[in-house]
Amino acid sequence: MNRLNQLFTSKKDNLLSIYFTAGYPAINTTVDIAAALEKAGADFLEIGFPYSDPVADGPTIQHSSERALENGMTLNMLFEELTELRKRVTIPILLMGYFNPIVQYGIERFCKKAAELGVDGIIVPDLPMYEYEQMYSSYFIDNNLSNIFLVTPQTSEDRIRKIDELSNSFIYLLSSSSITGGSLQLTNSIEDYYKRIKAMELKNPTIIGFGISDNNTFKQACTYANGAIVGSKFVKLLEEENYMEKIPGFIKSIRP
Amino acid sequence: MKIKVCGLRDPENIKAVAALGPDYVGFICYGLSPRYVAELPGDVLKALPANIRKTAVFVNESAETINSLIDKYAFDVIQLHGDESAEFSNSFRNRVTVFKAFGLNDDFNFDQLTAYENKVDYFLFDTKTAAYGGSGKTFNWDMLNNYKLAVPFFLSGGVSLDNMDEIKKIDHPQFYGVDLNSRFETAPGVKDISKLKQAFDIIRNKILPMKYGVNEHGYYGDFGGAYIPEMLYPNVEELRQQYLSIINDAGFKAEFNDLLKNYVGRPSPLYHAKRYSEKYGASIFFKREDLNHTGSHKINNAIGQILLAKRLGKKRIIAETGAGQHGVATATVCALMGIECVVYMGEIDMARQAPNVSRMKMLGATVKPASSGSKTLKDATNEAMRDWIANPVDTHYIIGSVVGPYPYPDMVARFQSVISEETKKQLLEQTGKELPEYVMACVGGGSNAMGMFYHFLDDEQVKLIAVEAAGKGVDSGHSAATTFLGHEGVLHGSRTILMQTPDGQVVEPYSISAGLDYPGIGPQHAHLYKINRAQYTSITDDEALQAGLLCSQMEGIIPAIETAHALAQLEKMTFKSDDTVVICISGRGDKDLDTYIKYFNF
């Protein structure tokens, strides 16, 4: 049982997770931002490691990735910054990024290192289920890391069942088939999709992400799932001056 | 995996079998009086497509009779099913391809085959019977493990729908094809078309990939797969489930072939470049893809994919383009079909290739700039993928090369394989031999090279040479020589070889030719490279431009700068005087005139 499992056992509603890109707006800010988010009340965090070709991301996160790479961020540097992580942050931490940097670092080595630093889960949007199951799942399981799968409105029921079987902390529901940073209106078809998933009574909790940007969209998501993830909207805040001071207000604006 | 259907007789049945597209059809000429053979439906045989090789089966027949029947029916292949000697078999090889058949039982000694090595083209292993084959029984296929020679073989004798699973388990490097015969008959000599169709589907699509082809999970050895976010999964999965049944459908094939012939202008010529041949000391042939409509090989794939998109009910097409050749080809086929077209192109490429931007607009396409990252081809690809994520239901993404998630690399290779299919036939017509010693092509993502290699992959004696762009030199920091500079990783949905930093960030490549300016290669190329089936080499900007000039002034053909890389490789080769070399002239140089003019100060 890792921190994620403990969290989902003790708290079942209105969970709020925040995504941000490591190395943005500057290097050596990762743990400071994480600690401030915990203090402001975030329940768990996703720390993105940048990639040159982020196909699932919209302009905001693309921009943060480009800047982070210009700042010199690498997986090695991120892991160095994270040596301080567990001295200052207690909430669950996930790393999120694309597969190629992990392949170059070494998949097994990556899992070991992440676990050693106190990371609880990994989200790799472009690591497919087949490859995970056939080749890599043992590295995750041996290191007590949760692998988080995405589900979209187009994902079939059979596939969702399979994902539920392979998951051991939560399932990431995409609010719509889109890249990150889009705006979200709760339409009937989205509501039908949320209801359909809820009716499946999956063994894993569900967290909704993509397009969650304010209290309204957060509340809607929490009606159907255990919580929601805010990404692009928070990354935009990091562009502003004195962003550290604005973090508590930001969290309150999403979940008063 | 090749398919041979043997024992045909009835004219209507022959036509129905031919419609399935076998690689070989066989006619039993054994034990028949010359009068009977004369009754073979000659007109039906003549009307068979040239890619279906007509095979005559003989048992201990005289050379005179064999030769006269080859003359009479224009057989492409003879299958010697009796006790013919190696020398006797070899004596026909200047006219036809020769199969030597052997009946196997548990006592069979494979040593007796050594004498036939280099004297026949293929072996055919049948079940030993008192007569010569035709028992419908199988032999013990484990025996094949004792066969160690380098001559590829066909498996015959009792092959049926019931033992397809066992065939799947035969893992032998020389296993080249299956022979379907009596177990697929409704009456002697009359084939059961529906059973054959089932077998074709199993052999072609699911169970028996070509030796160098893709497996059912989308891999070529260590490379390939579909590394895509879940948002793209439904789109890619829909394609994966449907592409083979759509492109193998007779109606699809007919429409595809009709457009290739009457719209694209195929077959493209295979031209014997005499002055080049003299200069380089070998018989050099140009496969003229530059003469296609829109000026390059890209149109072959665009036609295939637009027909596929129509059958999938898609209403909107997206594409990425670097130099603009694929964008123009896609805009062209969308205009042809009246379908909305959006082409993504890097901002920098739009400035470099302004005339192609105008061409796409004139053809009715919307050209959207990719302004993220390095603002070139790889970023245009990212933007197209993002568009597809947002439009999962009504949009088809026409990828322009043998890259991307499975099934794209295989699908694009199949559409481009017409290049080598025609080449084999044309070479045979022009020179009497089907296989050249060398086949050469340039490689960016690798679609013209894969099309040029495709039907030669299983012919191990043919040397395949792929030419990458070295840019200003492989060590200059300005290069696109992926196999020299790259490492294994994941790019645009497939595991392949790509240029990247030690941290796994994709590196922006450089080449003077925008079409070769891509940081990866298709996964099948990565596989061919890794197992040494093809040789990968590179040519600098300067060498390519000089080769472009040489070709213009010696052969009157101004090649695309991409193509000029393949031509420049000739300078580095040593040929034997009787070598035959085919080079894919992938595109014409009109689009590159500005670059040529600037370089040579015309």
Side-chain angles (χ1 to χ4, degrees), chain A:
Chain A
M1 201 179 228
N2 61 30
R3 290 176 198 83
L4 277 168
N5 306 127
Q6 284 162 9
L7 173 67
F8 289 116
T9 312
S10 63
K11 192 172 173 186
K12 302 204 185 298
D13 302 304
N14 296 316
L15 289 157
L16 174 59
S17 175
I18 302 291
Y19 167 94
F20 64 99
T21 307
Y24 180 78
I27 53 166
N28 289 321
T29 56
T30 308
V31 177
D32 290 345
I33 293 171
L37 283 166
E38 174 169 358
K39 205 172 159 212
D43 293 300
F44 64 102
L45 304 177
E46 291 159 49
I47 301 174
F49 48 92
Y51 180 51
S52 52
D53 295 77
V55 290
D57 287 301
T60 304
I61 295 180
Q62 283 177 43
H63 172 73
S64 69
S65 299
E66 274 177 41
R67 286 284 303 280
L69 290 172
E70 283 161 24
N71 291 339
M73 181 48 69
T74 63
L75 266 181
N76 271 316
M77 185 184 282
L78 173 62
F79 286 144
E80 227 163 85
E81 288 193 17
L82 292 183
T83 49
E84 291 292 303
L85 177 74
R86 285 304 170 199
K87 289 179 192 155
R88 296 176 57 198
V89 179
T90 64
I91 57 175
I93 298 288
L94 298 130
L95 295 185
M96 182 166 186
Y98 292 83
F99 194 43
N100 196 50
I102 303 179
V103 172
Q104 301 316 310
Y105 190 88
I107 299 153
E108 187 175 11
R109 182 170 163 241
F110 174 86
C111 289
K112 268 191 185 150
K113 185 73 187 174
E116 191 184 302
L117 294 167
V119 170
D120 306 288
I122 310 288
I123 307 176
V124 188
D126 59 343
L127 171 57
M129 189 158 69
Y130 171 78
E131 278 72 11
Y132 171 75
E133 198 183 359
Q134 297 294 315
M135 296 182 243
Y136 310 122
S137 59
S138 65
Y139 303 148
F140 286 70
I141 292 162
D142 293 351
N143 289 296
N144 200 19
L145 287 172
S146 299
N147 181 40
I148 312 299
F149 291 95
L150 310 184
V151 163
T152 79
Q154 275 77 37
T155 309
S156 69
E157 174 160 353
D158 281 355
R159 193 164 163 86
I160 296 173
R161 293 275 174 217
K162 176 93 185 166
I163 285 171
D164 195 34
E165 206 177 289
L166 286 172
S167 299
N168 60 7
S169 61
F170 73 92
I171 294 171
Y172 193 141
L173 296 188
L174 266 59
S175 57
S176 61
S177 184
S178 69
I179 52 177
T180 57
S183 65
L184 182 64
Q185 268 94 40
L186 192 68
T187 61
N188 286 340
S189 67
I190 293 185
E191 210 169 351
D192 287 348
Y193 151 66
Y194 288 166
K195 282 181 183 160
R196 177 165 63 88
I197 303 284
K198 194 157 180 149
M200 286 179 72
E201 298 186 339
L202 302 173
K203 75 180 171 71
N204 287 280
T206 52
I207 301 288
I208 293 175
F210 284 39
I212 310 296
S213 60
D214 53 21
N215 178 239
N216 220 5
T217 42
F218 179 74
K219 270 196 312 202
Q220 282 164 347
C222 290
T223 315
Y224 300 100
N226 302 78
I229 301 168
V230 179
S232 298
K233 185 81 180 177
F234 182 72
V235 171
K236 272 191 191 138
L237 178 81
L238 299 178
E239 290 168 14
E240 296 177 16
E241 281 182 24
N242 302 323
Y243 61 83
M244 289 297 282
E245 290 157 28
K246 294 177 183 167
I247 287 176
F250 180 85
I251 296 292
K252 277 207 178 62
S253 75
I254 305 287
R255 188 182 63 187

Side-chain angles (χ1 to χ4, degrees), chain A residues 52-54 100 104 131 177, chain B residues 219 386 389 490 500 505-506:
Chain A
S52 52
D53 295 77
N100 196 50
Q104 301 316 310
E131 278 72 11
S177 184
Chain B
Y219 279 86
R386 288 179 189 125
I389 287 173
V490 174
Q500 53 184 317
Q505 310 299 337
V506 182

Side-chain angles (χ1 to χ4, degrees), chain B residues 207-510:
Chain B
I207 293 186
L208 301 169
M210 281 169 40
K211 188 173 164 198
Y212 297 104
V214 74
N215 74 16
E216 66 208 87
H217 298 295
Y219 279 86
Y220 307 86
D222 297 337
F223 302 101
Y227 291 79
I228 44 164
E230 186 65 26
M231 297 81 104
L232 284 176
Y233 180 83
N235 313 28
V236 172
E237 178 63 12
E238 178 187 32
L239 264 186
R240 188 190 69 79
Q241 284 180 6
Q242 302 216 34
Y243 84 108
L244 284 173
S245 57
I246 291 176
I247 68 182
N248 285 327
D249 172 71
F252 179 94
K253 282 185 182 168
E255 200 177 348
F256 181 57
N257 290 334
D258 176 67
L259 283 171
L260 287 186
K261 179 169 180 236
N262 298 313
Y263 187 70
V264 175
R266 302 201 74 94
S268 67
L270 182 74
Y271 162 68
H272 186 198
K274 296 199 181 59
R275 294 188 68 199
Y276 256 49
S277 299
E278 216 165 275
K279 176 173 167 61
Y280 292 110
S283 281
I284 293 179
F285 289 83
F286 289 173
K287 179 60 176 165
R288 299 289 308 275
E289 294 299 300
D290 59 318
L291 293 176
N292 292 341
H293 179 42
T294 74
S296 82
H297 69 290
K298 292 287 186 191
I299 192 78
N300 304 328
N301 169 51
I303 296 264
Q305 286 204 48
I306 197 81
L307 294 178
L308 182 97
K310 259 178 58 183
R311 278 162 177 78
L312 290 171
K314 304 293 179 181
K315 309 275 181 250
R316 180 173 173 270
I317 295 295
I318 54 172
E320 85 295 333
T321 197
Q325 293 302 96
H326 173 56
V328 168
T330 303
T332 298
V333 297
C334 287
L336 183 66
M337 298 293 165
I339 296 181
E340 182 191 351
C341 178
V342 175
V343 179
Y344 289 90
M345 189 167 185
E347 256 177 8
I348 291 178
D349 289 336
M350 283 179 75
R352 282 199 290 199
Q353 308 283 340
N356 271 344
V357 176
S358 307
R359 285 170 85 191
M360 286 185 269
K361 287 182 179 165
M362 184 156 177
L363 290 160
T366 307
V367 183
K368 289 197 180 176
S371 50
S372 64
S374 50
K375 304 177 177 59
T376 59
L377 177 57
K378 81 178 177 69
D379 309 284
T381 308
N382 295 341
E383 285 305 331
M385 285 189 170
R386 288 179 189 125
D387 181 310
W388 210 21
I389 287 173
N391 299 285
V393 180
D394 68 336
T395 298
H396 175 69
Y397 177 16
I398 301 190
I399 294 184
S401 190
V402 286
V403 303
Y406 176 69
Y408 279 101
D410 184 52
M411 184 168 72
V412 177
R414 284 170 190 256
F415 289 143
Q416 293 294 2
S417 70
V418 65
I419 300 173
S420 48
E421 188 184 325
E422 287 175 3
T423 300
K424 266 193 165 176
K425 204 179 113 202
Q426 291 166 323
L427 200 62
L428 189 67
E429 280 167 12
Q430 292 182 30
T431 69
K433 71 180 195 183
E434 189 184 54
L435 300 180
E437 274 67 32
Y438 295 89
V439 170
M440 300 168 62
C442 63
V443 175
S447 69
N448 94 81
M450 200 44 70
M452 187 74 248
F453 292 172
Y454 196 91
H455 289 285
F456 295 109
L457 285 170
D458 285 342
D459 301 308
E460 309 271 349
Q461 62 270 48
V462 179
K463 296 179 198 74
L464 308 175
I465 298 184
V467 185
E468 298 179 337
K472 295 176 179 172
V474 287
D475 300 321
S476 67
H478 303 278
S479 179
T482 304
T483 57
F484 285 81
L485 299 168
H487 301 279
E488 293 182 21
V490 174
L491 177 68
H492 292 144
S494 68
R495 201 164 179 124
T496 186
I497 296 172
L498 64 138
M499 291 165 57
Q500 53 184 317
T501 66
D503 190 45
Q505 310 299 337
V506 182
V507 166
E508 183 58 20
Y510 163 82

